[in-house]
Amino acid sequence: MNGKNAQLQQRKNAALPRGTGNLCQWYVERAENATLWDIEGRQWTDFAGGIAVLNTGHRHPRIEKAVAEQLAKFTHTAFQVTPYESYVALAERINARVPVAGTAKTAFFSTGAEAVENAVKIARAATRRHGIITFGNAFHGRTFMTMAMTGKVAPYKRDFGPMPASVWHARYPNALQGISIDDALNSLQDLFTQDIAPQDVAAIVLEPVQGEGGFHVAPVEFFNRLRALADQHGILLIADEVQSGFARTGKLFAMEHYPVKVDLITMAKSLAGGMPLSAVAGRAEVMDAPGPGGLGGTYAGNPLAIAAAHAVLDVIDEEQLCQRAVQLGEQLTGFLHHASEKYAAITDVRALGSMIAVEFTEAALATAIQQEAMEQGLLLLTCGPKGNVIRFLYPLTIPQAQFDQALEILAQVMETCVANPQVGTVSA
């Protein structure tokens, strides 16, 4: 094998288990805003954003400065041992903006899966019930509880044995697949009849916009009726905003697009601009249900990540990234709708702000477009239960000229791959 990337890939294959798969066969050396450079000097425009982690771009100067200043003070004490003001201040900032009813409280953790697991713990403590209902094609994490909650077997659950009990899946509304709002709500009633009594259900957990499931947006009517159903049975409603939060949809939280409020919200990914941080926020009386010591973690609310999150909130406000998400989203969706008129292989375009996806008739075509785009210097991600969806997660800070150039690449790649689906099958 020749070249630095090939040599490093060979070392990776020898040193790491095959379960740690990679999309790219090249290795990143540095990054700035919406650009990645590999160890051989090639560059890519990043429309993956570390899987929705980099709404504020790679190495935003404000975030770098905040982390450096904190690094000069202390890196870790464990908040539950020696607390620090920045954690409290960040909770106060999120409490003031999170779309839940009444007074809010927030606790910090490290990963999205941790946030979801702790939301389940909080819901069970608050309701004294055990049942958790999630939805088909959902993704909530890779720990055992969040694997059980995830509505997709391969690759997340396959080979890993029995999942934790007391988790059930309802149907998520999906017009393209013929699942109406009534169908989805009827599937919940079926669960209440066949699997678990509603008085045993602690929480219903859903993504306002399904991430791994294909960027399907929950209809407003569905959320309204789901809220009413939850209230009828004393069930808590939890929004998993790990992927949809922090300006991606044109609002700080996707739940701001809905007239109803949930009881708990989980968040992570772009919360700290590339640093590992997650959170659960919710109604104060619900959040206070676990006793002292019931919530926490050695690295939960790490000071460096907390400092980064403060900077992220500043950047979102000062650079008007919610408005920027809407502007870029309108440009991209306009491009995709025009492409859908040209190519019958495009079956759907879905968008909320800059949380955008395009669905194709076949997974092979989506993969071909992804691979050919990589050859042309544009990094894309696929998703969906069939792998036939391309999702767009560019930094909201991307320069306009670079965004325009990326769409030009995408136009050329789609033309090439639709005409010749064999193009793009060779990895970059």
Side-chain angles (χ1 to χ4, degrees):
M1 300 178 73
N2 298 316
K4 293 180 180 179
N5 283 310
Q7 292 170 10
L8 196 48
Q9 184 69 4
Q10 190 174 47
R11 288 170 54 194
K12 177 259 182 186
N13 290 339
L16 277 63
R18 67 191 182 106
T20 56
N22 304 104
L23 167 64
C24 302
Q25 305 300 301
W26 48 269
Y27 288 74
V28 65
E29 183 173 60
R30 62 189 177 95
E32 183 175 353
N33 200 353
T35 306
L36 296 163
W37 287 267
D38 78 350
I39 56 176
E40 296 179 0
R42 295 183 298 172
Q43 72 179 58
W44 285 265
T45 292
D46 185 1
F47 268 37
I51 316 180
V53 169
L54 297 162
N55 289 355
T56 51
H58 293 273
R59 297 175 48 249
H60 192 288
R62 289 289 297 273
I63 297 171
E64 279 193 303
K65 183 175 183 289
V67 172
E69 289 176 352
Q70 180 59 50
L71 186 63
K73 297 174 183 177
F74 58 93
T75 62
H76 175 75
T77 66
F79 183 78
Q80 61 263 44
V81 177
T82 306
Y84 30 93
E85 188 271 342
S86 58
Y87 183 118
V88 177
L90 183 61
E92 289 171 338
R93 294 182 74 178
I94 290 176
N95 292 342
R97 300 181 67 168
V98 71
V100 298
T103 302
K105 289 190 174 184
T106 297
F108 295 106
F109 306 96
S110 299
T111 69
E114 254 193 299
V116 174
E117 292 235 357
N118 277 279
V120 169
K121 288 164 58 177
I122 293 164
R124 285 176 167 173
T127 62
R128 301 299 178 184
R129 303 174 179 185
H130 61 90
I132 302 295
I133 295 176
T134 63
F135 290 85
N137 297 321
F139 180 82
H140 295 292
R142 293 175 179 268
T143 59
F144 263 95
M145 185 64 195
T146 55
M147 274 196 297
M149 296 169 68
T150 291
K152 184 178 180 180
V153 172
Y156 306 114
K157 302 182 184 184
R158 185 179 57 199
D159 302 329
F160 297 135
M163 296 292 115
S166 295
V167 177
W168 288 266
H169 292 90
R171 304 179 77 190
Y172 194 93
N174 186 326
L176 198 64
Q177 296 178 7
I179 303 172
S180 68
I181 293 171
D182 285 340
D183 292 334
L185 291 165
N186 287 339
S187 73
L188 282 161
Q189 295 294 348
D190 289 341
L191 289 177
F192 295 157
T193 300
Q194 301 168 12
D195 295 298
I196 182 170
Q199 59 264 32
D200 290 328
V201 177
I204 297 171
V205 186
L206 77 161
E207 301 158 279
V209 185
Q210 285 196 324
E212 180 68 16
F215 282 26
H216 295 281
V217 182
V220 171
E221 182 190 348
F222 177 65
F223 247 119
N224 290 343
R225 293 171 64 182
L226 195 61
R227 177 74 270 179
L229 181 68
D231 290 343
Q232 177 186 348
H233 297 294
I235 299 169
L236 297 180
L237 197 56
I238 302 175
D240 183 341
E241 291 232 33
V242 167
Q243 187 162 166
S244 61
F246 298 95
R248 173 54 54 183
T249 68
K251 303 283 188 182
L252 190 64
F253 297 98
M255 283 307 305
E256 294 179 67
H257 292 280
Y258 296 91
V260 298
K261 289 180 168 57
V262 290
D263 302 294
L264 297 170
I265 293 180
T266 63
M267 60 198 83
K269 290 189 179 286
S270 279
L271 166 60
M275 298 293 286
L277 185 68
S278 65
V280 181
R283 293 194 289 118
E285 61 272 25
V286 176
M287 291 293 294
D288 278 336
L295 303 176
T298 302
Y299 297 102
N302 171 269
L304 299 176
I306 291 284
H310 277 288
V312 163
L313 290 177
D314 291 340
V315 170
I316 288 173
D317 289 342
E318 293 171 11
E319 299 186 17
Q320 299 183 324
L321 293 191
C322 289
Q323 296 92 319
R324 181 71 172 145
V326 173
Q327 293 165 1
L328 293 173
E330 288 176 348
Q331 184 179 350
L332 177 54
T333 52
F335 167 88
L336 293 172
H337 282 300
H338 178 73
S340 70
E341 296 172 358
K342 185 176 181 181
Y343 305 120
I346 294 177
T347 58
D348 199 18
V349 175
R350 299 183 287 274
L352 190 61
S354 275
M355 197 164 181
I356 299 168
V358 57
E359 184 162 339
F360 295 91
T361 51
E362 298 179 4
L365 179 55
T367 301
I369 291 170
Q370 178 189 49
Q371 292 295 329
E372 180 64 14
M374 194 185 302
E375 291 281 1
Q376 301 302 324
L378 177 62
L379 183 60
L380 300 172
L381 294 178
T382 59
C383 64
K386 297 178 182 178
N388 61 333
V389 179
I390 290 177
R391 54 179 159 172
F392 300 91
L393 293 167
Y394 42 83
L396 302 176
T397 51
I398 185 171
Q400 186 63 50
Q402 187 175 8
F403 189 78
D404 294 342
Q405 183 183 43
L407 295 195
E408 290 177 9
I409 293 172
L410 186 60
Q412 295 168 4
V413 167
M414 290 175 67
E415 176 70 27
T416 300
C417 292
V418 171
N420 180 13
Q422 296 303 313
V423 172
T425 57
V426 179
S427 297

